[in-house]
């Protein structure tokens, strides 16, 4: 009996790990995608939505308080993301963008260019881009200081409680440096990347009230994406 229970327990753990590490696909787009926050490009109608529904920080939330989903595509130049966020209160308490930016409403995009996983807290093994309501893109650099990045072009249109975020993302390898001329990665079919997306939600507080992601993170500490690229989902680019 004990042996059977142990086998069942390890089977559940194995299935959970396999599910977390399973490779998802990102479809190639041959259509032009215009980054304007309107989401009416034909390319977006050809791919499916993915949920942003995993609580990483904060109290339980209802769909009336927050709901989110995203689509993702690629071509040889960019990774494209379309995010639809329902949130009736948008807060921007830190307009300079480099101080406590995670406590404002912001979209966060995690990218691991070669899907290698591992620590990226103060290095460029992966990126954790925080995108503010006014379009500033911030991540922590090797010097443990927050910096602005021009790796993402973004436009957001908000209509009542629905915000549409449209992004094109340049991918860079782990040798990225502010002191060098960096060549962005050329995307091609069968390339694997690590990816996750999340939203920092603040309604009326001095700090964010919730952090909701696209990936189920095991264990008690679920706010690990800014440090550990192992929690990202692995995606394969396909045509």
């Amino acid at each position: 009996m004990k042996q059977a229970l142990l086998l069942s327990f390890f089977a559940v753990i194995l299935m959970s790990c396999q599910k977390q590490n399973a490779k998802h696909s990102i479809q190639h787009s041959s259509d032009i995608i215009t980054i304007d926050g309107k989401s009416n490009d034909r390319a977006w109608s050809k791919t499916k939505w993915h949920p942003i529904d995993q609580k990483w920080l904060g109290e339980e939330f209802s769909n009336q308080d927050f709901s989110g989903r995203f689509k993702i595509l690629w071509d040889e130049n960019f990774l494209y993301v379309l995010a639809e966020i329902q949130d009736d209160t948008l807060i921007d308490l830190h307009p300079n963008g480099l101080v406590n930016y995670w406590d404002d409403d912001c979209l966060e995009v995690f990218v691991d260019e070669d899907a290698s996983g591992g620590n990226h807290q103060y290095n460029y093994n992966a990126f954790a881009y925080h995108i503010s309501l006014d379009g500033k893109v911030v991540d922590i650099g090797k010097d443990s200081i927050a910096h602005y990045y021009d790796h993402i072009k973004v436009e957001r249109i908000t209509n009542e409680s629905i915000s549409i975020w449209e992004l094109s993302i340049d991918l860079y390898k782990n040798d990225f440096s502010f002191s060098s001329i960096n060549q962005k990665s050329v995307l091609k079919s069968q390339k694997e990347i690590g990816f996750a997306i999340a939203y920092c939600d603040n309604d009326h507080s001095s700090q964010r009230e919730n952090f909701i992601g696209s990936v189920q993170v095991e264990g008690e500490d679920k706010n690990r994406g800014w440090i550990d690229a192992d929690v990202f989902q692995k995606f394969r680019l396909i045509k």
Side-chain angles (χ1 to χ4, degrees):
M1 185 66 173
K2 289 183 178 180
Q3 185 176 10
L5 289 172
L6 283 173
L7 289 173
S8 298
F9 172 77
F10 286 119
V12 169
I13 296 297
L14 179 61
M15 289 176 64
S16 175
C17 292
Q18 289 174 337
K19 181 179 180 181
Q20 183 72 10
N21 294 324
K23 294 181 179 66
H24 302 262
S25 62
I26 302 176
Q27 186 67 44
H28 178 268
S29 175
S30 57
D31 298 316
I32 294 174
I33 298 176
T34 302
I35 305 303
D36 55 12
K38 296 180 180 179
S39 72
N40 57 0
D41 296 307
R42 185 174 70 164
W44 292 124
S45 67
K46 298 179 180 181
T47 190
K48 66 180 182 179
W49 290 104
H50 304 274
I52 305 173
D53 61 358
Q54 299 296 310
K55 180 173 70 71
W56 288 354
L57 282 177
E59 302 298 325
E60 296 296 333
F61 59 91
S62 66
N63 287 337
Q64 289 69 38
D65 179 39
F66 172 87
S67 66
R69 58 182 184 169
F70 74 99
K71 292 184 176 184
I72 186 167
L73 291 167
W74 71 280
D75 63 19
E76 285 68 24
N77 296 308
F78 302 104
L79 196 67
Y80 298 95
V81 174
L82 181 72
E84 181 186 275
I85 303 296
Q86 179 175 324
D87 181 18
D88 59 1
T89 304
L90 299 179
I91 298 293
D92 188 3
L93 301 175
H94 306 91
N96 72 2
L98 296 176
V99 178
N100 287 34
Y101 45 86
W102 55 84
D103 286 327
D104 294 328
D105 279 270
C106 66
L107 193 69
E108 187 166 356
V109 175
F110 304 85
V111 182
D112 180 4
E113 185 272 342
D114 59 0
S116 60
N119 182 282
H120 69 99
Q121 185 175 10
Y122 300 128
N123 60 71
Y124 295 121
N125 182 48
F127 292 84
Y129 299 111
H130 297 73
I131 308 170
S132 64
L133 295 177
D134 59 0
K136 296 184 180 75
V137 179
V138 178
D139 189 17
I140 299 174
K142 289 184 177 180
D143 53 7
S144 73
I145 298 173
H147 297 273
Y148 292 123
Y149 294 79
D150 61 0
H151 301 179
I152 297 179
K153 180 180 179 181
V154 56
E155 291 292 338
R156 175 182 60 89
I157 292 180
T158 298
N159 185 8
E160 295 182 348
S161 64
I162 302 294
S163 294
I164 300 296
W165 303 67
E166 197 165 21
L167 291 67
S168 63
I169 306 172
D170 292 324
L171 269 63
Y172 288 92
K173 298 182 183 297
N174 59 13
D175 60 356
F176 174 84
S177 172
F178 277 110
S179 61
S180 303
I181 297 176
N182 300 282
Q183 297 295 324
K184 69 177 187 177
S185 296
V186 176
L187 305 186
K188 58 185 179 180
S189 183
Q190 301 306 308
K191 177 178 177 60
E192 293 181 3
I193 67 168
F195 181 84
I197 188 169
Y199 191 78
C200 296
D201 184 23
N202 186 349
D203 289 338
H204 299 285
S205 302
S206 60
Q207 298 178 326
R208 64 181 168 185
E209 297 168 7
N210 291 97
F211 191 27
I212 303 111
S214 62
V215 179
Q216 181 179 349
V217 179
E218 302 297 331
E220 293 185 9
D221 180 12
K222 301 184 185 303
N223 183 25
R224 303 206 310 274
W226 69 287
I227 295 175
D228 183 7
D230 286 337
V231 305
F232 303 173
Q233 286 181 317
K234 292 185 178 181
F235 285 83
R236 178 177 286 121
L237 309 183
I238 62 169
K239 282 192 174 181

